[in-house]
Amino acid sequence: MVDDHERTGRHLMTALSIGVNLPTLGEGAHEAASGGPSPAERARHAEQLGFESVWVPDLMTGDGMPALESTAVAAAAAAATERVRIGFGVYVVALRPVVWTAAHLATLQHLSRGRVLFGVGSGGFPRAPFWLASGAAAHDRGARTDAALRALPGLVGGEPTLVDTASQRVEITNAPAAPVPPVLVGGNSSAALRRTVEYGDSWFPSLITPETLGRRVERMRSLASAHGRGVPGVTVGGHLVPGEGSTARAARESLVSSLTDQHGMSADEAERIPISGGTAEMAERLAAYAASGAQRVVVSLDGADWMHGCETLAEAARLL
Protein backbone atom coordinates (compact mmCIF):
# COMPACT_ATOMS: atom_id res chain seq x y z
CA MET A 1 0.00 0.00 0.00
CA VAL A 2 1.11 3.57 -0.75
CA ASP A 3 0.25 6.09 1.93
CA ASP A 4 -1.58 9.27 0.98
CA HIS A 5 1.14 11.59 2.23
CA GLU A 6 3.73 10.20 -0.17
CA ARG A 7 1.35 10.02 -3.07
CA THR A 8 -0.19 13.50 -2.77
CA GLY A 9 2.25 15.49 -0.69
CA ARG A 10 -0.69 17.22 1.01
CA HIS A 11 -1.11 15.41 4.32
CA LEU A 12 0.48 17.09 7.31
CA MET A 13 2.29 14.69 9.63
CA THR A 14 2.03 15.12 13.38
CA ALA A 15 5.59 13.83 13.92
CA LEU A 16 8.80 13.80 11.91
CA SER A 17 9.49 10.39 10.39
CA ILE A 18 13.03 9.12 10.91
CA GLY A 19 14.90 6.72 8.63
CA VAL A 20 18.42 5.28 8.81
CA ASN A 21 20.80 4.26 6.04
CA LEU A 22 22.04 0.68 6.10
CA PRO A 23 25.86 0.74 5.86
CA THR A 24 26.53 -1.11 2.60
CA LEU A 25 29.49 0.91 1.32
CA GLY A 26 33.12 0.92 2.39
CA GLU A 27 33.60 -0.42 5.90
CA GLY A 28 29.94 -1.43 6.12
CA ALA A 29 30.35 -3.72 3.11
CA HIS A 30 33.54 -5.15 4.61
CA GLU A 31 31.77 -5.89 7.90
CA ALA A 32 28.89 -7.67 6.19
CA ALA A 33 31.29 -9.71 4.05
CA SER A 34 33.50 -10.69 7.00
CA GLY A 35 30.83 -11.95 9.39
CA GLY A 36 29.73 -8.71 11.04
CA PRO A 37 26.07 -7.67 11.32
CA SER A 38 24.33 -8.19 7.99
CA PRO A 39 22.07 -5.58 6.39
CA ALA A 40 19.11 -7.80 7.32
CA GLU A 41 20.16 -7.85 10.99
CA ARG A 42 20.62 -4.09 10.98
CA ALA A 43 17.20 -3.61 9.37
CA ARG A 44 15.59 -5.75 12.10
CA HIS A 45 17.36 -3.68 14.76
CA ALA A 46 16.07 -0.44 13.24
CA GLU A 47 12.55 -1.85 13.08
CA GLN A 48 12.66 -2.96 16.71
CA LEU A 49 13.75 0.55 17.72
CA GLY A 50 10.69 1.99 16.00
CA PHE A 51 12.24 3.74 13.00
CA GLU A 52 9.91 4.45 10.11
CA SER A 53 12.29 3.34 7.35
CA VAL A 54 15.66 1.86 6.41
CA TRP A 55 17.50 3.00 3.29
CA VAL A 56 19.92 1.42 0.85
CA PRO A 57 22.46 3.42 -1.18
CA ASP A 58 22.91 2.53 -4.85
CA LEU A 59 26.53 3.27 -5.65
CA MET A 60 28.74 0.93 -7.66
CA THR A 61 31.90 2.66 -8.88
CA GLY A 62 33.94 -0.26 -10.19
CA ASP A 63 37.18 1.23 -8.88
CA GLY A 64 37.61 -1.17 -5.97
CA MET A 65 35.40 0.65 -3.47
CA PRO A 66 33.49 -2.03 -1.51
CA ALA A 67 29.76 -1.87 -2.18
CA LEU A 68 26.79 -4.22 -1.87
CA GLU A 69 24.23 -4.21 -4.69
CA SER A 70 21.17 -2.23 -3.66
CA THR A 71 18.24 -4.34 -4.86
CA ALA A 72 19.65 -7.51 -3.28
CA VAL A 73 20.13 -5.67 0.02
CA ALA A 74 16.62 -4.22 -0.18
CA ALA A 75 15.17 -7.70 -0.75
CA ALA A 76 17.08 -9.07 2.25
CA ALA A 77 15.88 -6.19 4.44
CA ALA A 78 12.29 -6.70 3.29
CA ALA A 79 12.41 -10.43 4.03
CA ALA A 80 13.83 -9.83 7.52
CA THR A 81 11.25 -7.23 8.61
CA GLU A 82 7.51 -6.74 8.79
CA ARG A 83 6.74 -3.06 9.31
CA VAL A 84 9.68 -0.78 8.51
CA ARG A 85 9.65 0.78 5.04
CA ILE A 86 12.43 -0.05 2.56
CA GLY A 87 13.89 2.95 0.77
CA PHE A 88 16.47 3.50 -1.96
CA GLY A 89 18.72 6.43 -1.25
CA VAL A 90 19.00 6.83 -4.21
CA TYR A 91 18.55 4.36 -7.09
CA VAL A 92 20.37 5.32 -10.31
CA VAL A 93 17.81 4.57 -13.01
CA ALA A 94 20.06 5.69 -15.88
CA LEU A 95 22.44 2.77 -15.23
CA ARG A 96 19.85 0.07 -15.97
CA PRO A 97 17.27 -0.75 -18.63
CA VAL A 98 13.94 0.56 -17.36
CA VAL A 99 12.25 -2.82 -17.86
CA TRP A 100 14.66 -4.40 -15.35
CA THR A 101 14.10 -1.57 -12.91
CA ALA A 102 10.34 -2.08 -13.19
CA ALA A 103 10.67 -5.84 -12.63
CA HIS A 104 12.84 -5.27 -9.54
CA LEU A 105 10.44 -2.69 -8.12
CA ALA A 106 7.33 -4.80 -8.68
CA THR A 107 9.01 -7.83 -7.12
CA LEU A 108 10.17 -5.83 -4.08
CA GLN A 109 6.68 -4.42 -3.64
CA HIS A 110 5.28 -7.95 -3.53
CA LEU A 111 8.03 -9.26 -1.23
CA SER A 112 7.66 -6.33 1.18
CA ARG A 113 3.86 -6.07 0.98
CA GLY A 114 4.06 -2.55 -0.47
CA ARG A 115 6.73 -1.04 1.78
CA VAL A 116 9.10 0.32 -0.90
CA LEU A 117 10.09 4.00 -1.07
CA PHE A 118 11.72 4.62 -4.45
CA GLY A 119 14.39 7.27 -4.10
CA VAL A 120 15.70 8.14 -7.57
CA GLY A 121 18.82 9.93 -8.77
CA SER A 122 20.36 10.71 -12.14
CA GLY A 123 23.68 9.28 -10.98
CA GLY A 124 26.75 10.38 -9.12
CA PHE A 125 30.29 9.54 -10.23
CA PRO A 126 29.35 9.36 -13.96
CA ARG A 127 33.03 8.96 -14.91
CA ALA A 128 33.45 5.88 -12.72
CA PRO A 129 34.48 2.65 -14.50
CA PHE A 130 31.15 1.05 -13.59
CA TRP A 131 29.31 3.43 -15.95
CA LEU A 132 31.56 2.50 -18.86
CA ALA A 133 31.48 -1.22 -18.11
CA SER A 134 27.67 -1.25 -17.84
CA GLY A 135 27.26 0.32 -21.28
CA ALA A 136 25.26 3.25 -19.92
CA ALA A 137 25.85 6.66 -21.47
CA ALA A 138 26.65 9.12 -18.70
CA HIS A 139 26.27 12.21 -20.88
CA ASP A 140 22.49 11.79 -21.30
CA ARG A 141 21.71 10.42 -17.84
CA GLY A 142 19.28 13.26 -17.08
CA ALA A 143 17.16 12.52 -20.15
CA ARG A 144 17.32 8.78 -19.43
CA THR A 145 16.15 9.43 -15.87
CA ASP A 146 13.16 11.45 -17.09
CA ALA A 147 12.24 8.76 -19.63
CA ALA A 148 12.41 6.06 -16.96
CA LEU A 149 10.21 8.06 -14.58
CA ARG A 150 7.61 8.47 -17.33
CA ALA A 151 7.56 4.73 -18.09
CA LEU A 152 7.83 3.20 -14.62
CA PRO A 153 4.27 3.80 -13.33
CA GLY A 154 2.79 1.87 -16.25
CA LEU A 155 5.41 -0.87 -16.18
CA VAL A 156 5.16 -1.48 -12.43
CA GLY A 157 1.37 -1.17 -12.53
CA GLY A 158 1.03 -3.86 -15.20
CA GLU A 159 -0.23 -1.55 -17.94
CA PRO A 160 0.81 -1.88 -21.61
CA THR A 161 3.69 0.60 -21.86
CA LEU A 162 5.82 1.70 -24.80
CA VAL A 163 9.56 1.56 -24.11
CA ASP A 164 12.14 3.12 -26.42
CA THR A 165 15.19 1.03 -27.32
CA ALA A 166 18.18 2.00 -29.44
CA SER A 167 16.39 0.88 -32.60
CA GLN A 168 12.64 0.71 -31.95
CA ARG A 169 9.72 1.16 -29.58
CA VAL A 170 8.51 -1.98 -27.82
CA GLU A 171 5.25 -2.46 -25.93
CA ILE A 172 5.78 -4.15 -22.57
CA THR A 173 3.22 -5.50 -20.10
CA ASN A 174 4.65 -6.75 -16.81
CA ALA A 175 2.78 -9.13 -14.52
CA PRO A 176 1.84 -9.47 -11.78
CA ALA A 177 1.12 -5.79 -11.36
CA ALA A 178 2.20 -4.10 -8.15
CA PRO A 179 1.32 -0.83 -6.39
CA VAL A 180 3.56 1.91 -7.78
CA PRO A 181 5.84 2.97 -4.90
CA PRO A 182 6.22 6.62 -3.93
CA VAL A 183 8.92 8.33 -5.99
CA LEU A 184 11.37 10.55 -4.09
CA VAL A 185 13.59 12.57 -6.43
CA GLY A 186 17.12 13.02 -5.13
CA GLY A 187 19.39 16.00 -5.66
CA ASN A 188 19.79 19.60 -4.56
CA SER A 189 19.84 21.20 -8.01
CA SER A 190 17.22 23.15 -9.92
CA ALA A 191 16.92 20.16 -12.26
CA ALA A 192 16.05 17.96 -9.29
CA LEU A 193 13.33 20.40 -8.20
CA ARG A 194 11.90 20.45 -11.73
CA ARG A 195 11.99 16.64 -11.90
CA THR A 196 10.28 16.40 -8.51
CA VAL A 197 7.42 18.63 -9.60
CA GLU A 198 6.98 16.73 -12.87
CA TYR A 199 7.38 13.14 -11.69
CA GLY A 200 7.87 12.89 -7.95
CA ASP A 201 5.84 12.45 -4.81
CA SER A 202 8.61 13.94 -2.65
CA TRP A 203 11.85 15.87 -3.02
CA PHE A 204 14.90 14.17 -1.49
CA PRO A 205 17.85 16.56 -1.06
CA SER A 206 20.86 15.74 1.07
CA LEU A 207 23.73 17.57 2.79
CA ILE A 208 21.67 20.73 3.11
CA THR A 209 21.19 23.06 6.08
CA PRO A 210 17.69 23.73 7.46
CA GLU A 211 17.97 27.36 6.34
CA THR A 212 18.79 26.44 2.74
CA LEU A 213 16.13 23.75 2.78
CA GLY A 214 13.46 26.27 3.73
CA ARG A 215 14.36 28.53 0.81
CA ARG A 216 14.40 25.66 -1.67
CA VAL A 217 11.07 24.33 -0.43
CA GLU A 218 9.54 27.73 -1.15
CA ARG A 219 11.01 27.53 -4.66
CA MET A 220 9.52 24.07 -5.14
CA ARG A 221 6.12 25.29 -4.02
CA SER A 222 6.28 28.11 -6.55
CA LEU A 223 7.22 25.66 -9.32
CA ALA A 224 4.37 23.33 -8.39
CA SER A 225 1.90 26.21 -8.42
CA ALA A 226 3.15 27.40 -11.82
CA HIS A 227 2.67 23.90 -13.24
CA GLY A 228 -0.73 23.42 -11.61
CA ARG A 229 0.47 20.46 -9.54
CA GLY A 230 0.17 19.52 -5.88
CA VAL A 231 3.12 20.38 -3.65
CA PRO A 232 5.41 17.35 -3.21
CA GLY A 233 6.53 16.19 0.20
CA VAL A 234 10.09 16.63 1.49
CA THR A 235 12.55 14.02 2.74
CA VAL A 236 16.04 15.16 3.78
CA GLY A 237 19.20 13.07 3.83
CA GLY A 238 21.94 13.90 6.31
CA HIS A 239 24.77 12.63 8.49
CA LEU A 240 24.50 12.07 12.21
CA VAL A 241 27.53 11.91 14.51
CA PRO A 242 26.23 10.81 17.92
CA GLY A 243 28.08 11.55 21.13
CA GLU A 244 30.39 14.23 22.42
CA GLY A 245 33.67 12.40 23.05
CA SER A 246 36.95 12.44 21.12
CA THR A 247 35.80 9.77 18.64
CA ALA A 248 32.68 11.76 17.79
CA ARG A 249 34.67 14.99 17.44
CA ALA A 250 37.14 13.31 15.09
CA ALA A 251 34.32 11.87 12.97
CA ARG A 252 32.63 15.26 12.80
CA GLU A 253 35.85 16.99 11.75
CA SER A 254 36.44 14.35 9.07
CA LEU A 255 32.93 14.84 7.68
CA VAL A 256 33.27 18.64 7.62
CA SER A 257 36.63 18.35 5.83
CA SER A 258 35.13 16.08 3.17
CA LEU A 259 32.28 18.52 2.60
CA THR A 260 34.68 21.40 1.99
CA ASP A 261 37.33 19.44 0.05
CA GLN A 262 35.15 17.13 -2.05
CA HIS A 263 31.82 18.95 -2.25
CA GLY A 264 33.11 22.51 -2.44
CA MET A 265 31.09 23.81 0.52
CA SER A 266 32.16 26.83 2.46
CA ALA A 267 33.55 26.09 5.91
CA ASP A 268 30.61 27.86 7.56
CA GLU A 269 28.00 25.84 5.65
CA ALA A 270 29.86 22.56 6.16
CA GLU A 271 29.99 23.12 9.92
CA ARG A 272 26.17 23.27 9.99
CA ILE A 273 25.60 20.01 8.11
CA PRO A 274 26.36 17.29 10.73
CA ILE A 275 23.63 16.42 13.20
CA SER A 276 25.72 15.89 16.31
CA GLY A 277 26.04 16.24 20.07
CA GLY A 278 23.85 14.80 22.80
CA THR A 279 20.30 13.58 22.34
CA ALA A 280 18.73 16.98 23.13
CA GLU A 281 20.96 18.74 20.61
CA MET A 282 20.25 16.11 17.96
CA ALA A 283 16.51 16.43 18.55
CA GLU A 284 16.79 20.20 18.16
CA ARG A 285 18.53 19.81 14.79
CA LEU A 286 15.96 17.29 13.58
CA ALA A 287 13.16 19.65 14.64
CA ALA A 288 14.82 22.46 12.63
CA TYR A 289 14.46 20.38 9.46
CA ALA A 290 10.81 19.77 10.25
CA ALA A 291 10.28 23.51 10.75
CA SER A 292 11.84 24.11 7.31
CA GLY A 293 9.36 21.79 5.58
CA ALA A 294 10.69 18.23 5.95
CA GLN A 295 8.34 15.39 6.79
CA ARG A 296 11.14 12.81 6.99
CA VAL A 297 14.87 12.84 7.80
CA VAL A 298 17.09 9.95 6.68
CA VAL A 299 20.49 9.80 8.35
CA SER A 300 23.78 8.03 7.83
CA LEU A 301 25.45 7.21 11.13
CA ASP A 302 29.10 8.27 11.40
CA GLY A 303 31.75 7.83 14.06
CA ALA A 304 30.15 5.17 16.24
CA ASP A 305 29.10 1.56 16.38
CA TRP A 306 26.10 1.47 14.04
CA MET A 307 23.83 -0.50 16.34
CA HIS A 308 24.57 1.79 19.29
CA GLY A 309 24.23 4.85 17.06
CA CYS A 310 20.73 3.71 16.11
CA GLU A 311 19.82 3.41 19.77
CA THR A 312 21.10 6.93 20.48
CA LEU A 313 19.16 8.31 17.52
CA ALA A 314 16.01 6.56 18.76
CA GLU A 315 16.44 8.32 22.13
CA ALA A 316 16.77 11.69 20.36
CA ALA A 317 13.71 10.97 18.23
CA ARG A 318 11.61 10.35 21.33
CA LEU A 319 12.33 13.94 22.41
CA LEU A 320 10.64 15.40 19.31
Side-chain angles (χ1 to χ4, degrees):
M1 286 176 52
V2 175
D3 61 272
D4 289 340
H5 163 68
E6 294 287 357
R7 179 58 61 208
T8 69
R10 295 191 181 94
H11 285 199
L12 295 175
M13 300 183 72
T14 57
L16 184 70
S17 295
I18 307 293
V20 291
N21 280 314
L22 299 177
T24 62
L25 304 175
E27 187 60 33
H30 271 309
E31 286 186 13
S34 60
S38 69
E41 290 170 323
R42 295 179 193 270
R44 279 197 300 271
H45 188 61
E47 181 173 73
Q48 290 164 0
L49 289 171
F51 288 107
E52 181 253 2
S53 49
V54 294
W55 296 75
V56 184
D58 183 45
L59 181 60
M60 308 290 285
T61 60
D63 60 1
M65 183 187 77
L68 302 180
E69 199 280 323
S70 62
T71 56
V73 173
T81 57
E82 297 179 354
R83 176 197 57 79
V84 71
R85 305 195 75 168
I86 313 296
F88 287 93
V90 290
Y91 187 100
V92 184
V93 290
L95 268 177
R96 303 164 173 91
V98 67
V99 291
W100 278 116
T101 296
H104 291 156
L105 275 181
T107 301
L108 281 170
Q109 280 287 70
H110 289 301
L111 291 176
S112 68
R113 299 295 187 263
R115 289 185 280 141
V116 175
L117 297 168
F118 191 46
V120 176
S122 58
F125 303 95
R127 294 180 180 83
F130 199 85
W131 280 87
L132 296 174
S134 70
H139 69 275
D140 66 347
R141 63 190 187 278
R144 285 164 58 87
T145 300
D146 288 347
L149 289 175
R150 285 192 295 270
L152 279 170
L155 290 172
V156 174
E159 301 172 3
T161 304
L162 289 173
V163 175
D164 290 317
T165 72
S167 59
Q168 61 184 318
R169 304 189 85 190
V170 180
E171 185 177 277
I172 297 291
T173 303
N174 283 338
V180 180
V183 173
L184 296 82
V185 177
N188 296 18
S189 66
S190 296
L193 284 179
R194 185 270 307 165
R195 189 171 286 128
T196 300
V197 170
E198 288 192 35
Y199 306 111
D201 301 297
S202 288
W203 179 40
F204 192 2
S206 61
L207 300 177
I208 187 171
T209 65
E211 297 82 8
T212 301
L213 177 70
R215 292 191 295 270
R216 300 295 281 172
V217 167
E218 287 303 315
R219 172 60 179 156
M220 184 177 67
R221 289 171 177 162
S222 297
L223 282 174
S225 177
H227 285 79
R229 302 178 68 92
V231 179
V234 179
T235 291
V236 177
H239 283 256
L240 184 140
V241 185
E244 301 173 285
S246 59
T247 300
R249 286 195 298 270
R252 192 182 193 285
E253 291 170 3
S254 176
L255 174 59
V256 170
S257 293
S258 73
L259 294 175
T260 56
D261 298 342
Q262 299 176 26
H263 295 269
M265 287 187 184
S266 68
D268 181 63
E269 183 179 16
E271 285 284 349
R272 299 200 306 275
I273 293 296
I275 302 169
S276 59
T279 54
E281 186 177 355
M282 288 189 288
E284 184 177 347
R285 289 296 309 281
L286 293 170
Y289 282 109
S292 295
Q295 292 89 33
R296 177 188 293 114
V297 176
V298 177
V299 299
S300 295
L301 298 166
D302 296 352
D305 172 81
W306 191 90
M307 297 292 202
H308 178 67
C310 273
E311 293 160 8
T312 303
L313 176 58
E315 292 175 14
R318 283 191 282 271
L319 298 178
L320 291 171

